[in-house]
Amino acid sequence: MNAGDQIAIDVKGLTKSFGGREVVHDLSMQVKRGSIYGFLGPNGSGKTTTIRILCGLLTPDSGEGTCLGYDILRDADKIKRQVGYMTQRFSLYQDLSVRENLEFVARLYGLADARGAARDMIKRLGLSGREAQLAGELSGGWKQRLALGACTLPSPKLLLLDEPTAGVDPKARRDFWNEIHALAAEGLTVLVSTHYMDEAERCHEIAYIAYGHLLTHGTVEEVIAGSKLTTYTVTGENLNGLTAALSGEPGIDMVAPFGTSLHVSGRDVAALEASIAPWRDNSGLHWQKAAPSLEDVFIELMGRSRDNFQG
Ligand SMILES: Nc1ncnc2c1ncn2[C@@H]1O[C@H](COP(=O)(O)OP(=O)(O)OP(=O)(O)O)[C@@H](O)[C@H]1O
Ligand SMILES: [Mg+2]
């Protein structure tokens, strides 16, 4: 096996415009086989568009690369056959039962024993007892599980999951992620977009994209370290007043409330320290230096990219 076989997605310089507006800009990324790669970024940042380019559904204006070893420009049909794609909106038939949906999908994929495949998948997903329930009547969490089952039926090598757990409760999200990890452990590569920080932390690697630009990538630890953010957690009285006083001051890149505390972050330590100095001795406030959370990093990145790309 050569090094290329270890990489499921290897693309560079992807660019895509719609109506003269560039929504994916010079995007390069590599995803290792068998890994779970998280795709994060604000609404409209180009995640879905990138996912569609990767599986050959959309042709980029420029850029090149491979997905599962196939050229994304020339071998789209081959890629599609080995990719399971769970779209951002529920795409199964609401008025078919769980079993009917799975059997239908299995037949679409031309599986020899559609009935058996559906039965096995129902068992695997813990949907036993719900086979006859209409898909439209399932809870959000079960719907997403069913959709995951449907897109893994043909035993794909790569799963593209576009915000698979949006609006799903924490317990169901956790179960869903346990299943994703089980699939990855079996060798499947998973690219998943999400807005949830806890989910980002369950990925082997993540990438953050804003306004079509891939701003950072790596393991969670690498992304946090690469942010070069210094963060203080502040508790005490009148945090609203402190927020107003610090916002926009030199070195203060972000001031954000987290529960009963305030996170104050910046990349220029000296400027940050100077700006908070007048407030450090305030007896009503307690300051503690903390490791920035992933959320701190993303909020700061989002603020910075807004400045850069929207003028
Ligand atoms: N087919 C299309 N035609 C025109 N514009 C499009 C098309 N598809 C996407 N866009 C625009 O491209 C931008 C990026 O959209 P995209 O759906 O890739 O973002 P996203 O990161 O998936 O957002 P979200 O988190 O809301 O799902 C958006 O401004 C969107 O309106
Ligand atoms: Mg999207």
Side-chain angles (χ1 to χ4, degrees):
M1 197 182 260
N2 62 42
D5 294 333
Q6 305 293 342
I7 303 291
I9 297 172
D10 189 4
V11 292
K12 60 175 181 221
L14 297 183
T15 296
K16 183 77 191 174
S17 296
F18 288 118
R21 196 165 61 89
E22 205 173 61
V23 300
V24 176
H25 173 83
D26 194 18
L27 187 140
S28 304
M29 63 191 281
Q30 280 199 336
V31 178
K32 295 189 193 86
R33 280 195 197 239
S35 71
I36 302 175
Y37 195 95
F39 220 26
L40 289 107
N43 292 129
S45 56
K47 300 181 297 293
T48 299
T49 305
T50 305
I51 289 174
R52 294 179 67 210
I53 293 173
L54 294 175
C55 63
L57 280 175
L58 202 63
T59 309
D61 299 334
S62 58
E64 56 179 17
T66 58
C67 180
L68 299 172
Y70 297 114
D71 189 298
I72 57 164
L73 300 174
R74 286 193 301 272
D75 297 324
D77 286 345
K78 288 183 186 136
I79 295 172
K80 281 183 220 161
R81 244 172 265 144
Q82 302 199 9
V83 169
Y85 179 20
M86 189 169 155
T87 53
Q88 202 165 346
R89 266 182 222 96
F90 187 64
S91 56
L92 297 177
Y93 291 99
Q94 311 262 5
D95 48 2
L96 290 187
S97 70
V98 167
R99 189 194 315 112
E100 287 165 342
N101 263 300
L102 289 173
E103 284 183 10
F104 178 73
V105 172
R107 282 200 194 92
L108 269 186
Y109 284 121
L111 300 191
D113 178 14
R115 213 167 252 211
R119 204 183 316 119
D120 292 347
M121 190 52 78
I122 285 168
K123 214 179 284 169
R124 163 155 202 157
L125 295 172
L127 279 161
S128 301
R130 296 176 201 263
E131 298 95 323
Q133 212 169 325
L134 295 185
E137 289 171 0
L138 293 173
S139 70
W142 285 111
K143 263 190 194 152
Q144 297 310 79
R145 249 176 125 68
L146 175 60
L148 178 67
C151 74
T152 52
L153 268 175
S155 308
K157 293 201 171 117
L158 170 67
L159 272 185
L160 300 173
L161 310 177
D162 199 357
E163 289 186 44
T165 58
V168 170
D169 72 56
K171 163 78 168 68
R173 288 204 289 123
R174 181 162 295 192
D175 292 345
F176 191 95
W177 272 82
N178 288 344
E179 182 62 24
I180 294 179
H181 271 273
L183 291 166
E186 290 169 17
L188 208 70
T189 307
V190 183
L191 175 68
V192 53
S193 73
T194 177
H195 290 291
Y196 296 110
M197 293 304 124
D198 59 322
E199 295 188 349
E201 282 166 359
R202 293 193 69 176
C203 294
H204 298 118
E205 281 190 60
I206 52 175
Y208 186 86
I209 170 171
Y211 303 104
H213 294 62
L214 197 148
L215 298 184
T216 181
H217 68 95
T219 63
V220 170
E221 294 74 22
E222 284 166 356
V223 165
I224 289 176
S227 74
K228 306 241 167 26
L229 269 190
T230 298
T231 297
Y232 279 94
T233 303
V234 196
T235 49
E237 298 157 8
N238 192 14
L239 294 179
N240 285 338
L242 182 64
T243 304
L246 289 180
S247 297
E249 289 300 302
I252 309 286
D253 292 324
M254 188 197 83
V255 188
F258 279 76
T260 54
S261 67
L262 199 65
H263 286 202
V264 179
S265 302
R267 279 168 297 146
D268 181 340
V269 192
L272 172 79
E273 297 286 355
S275 286
I276 65 174
W279 302 91
R280 289 300 299 272
D281 298 331
N282 187 317
S283 61
L285 296 172
H286 177 67
W287 292 77
Q288 192 163 29
K289 211 171 203 172
S293 68
L294 200 54
E295 190 154 346
D296 291 325
V297 175
F298 289 161
I299 293 173
E300 191 273 328
L301 274 173
M302 213 193 287
R304 184 149 37 113
S305 55
R306 203 179 298 131
D307 298 343
N308 286 351
F309 305 130
Q310 291 202 324

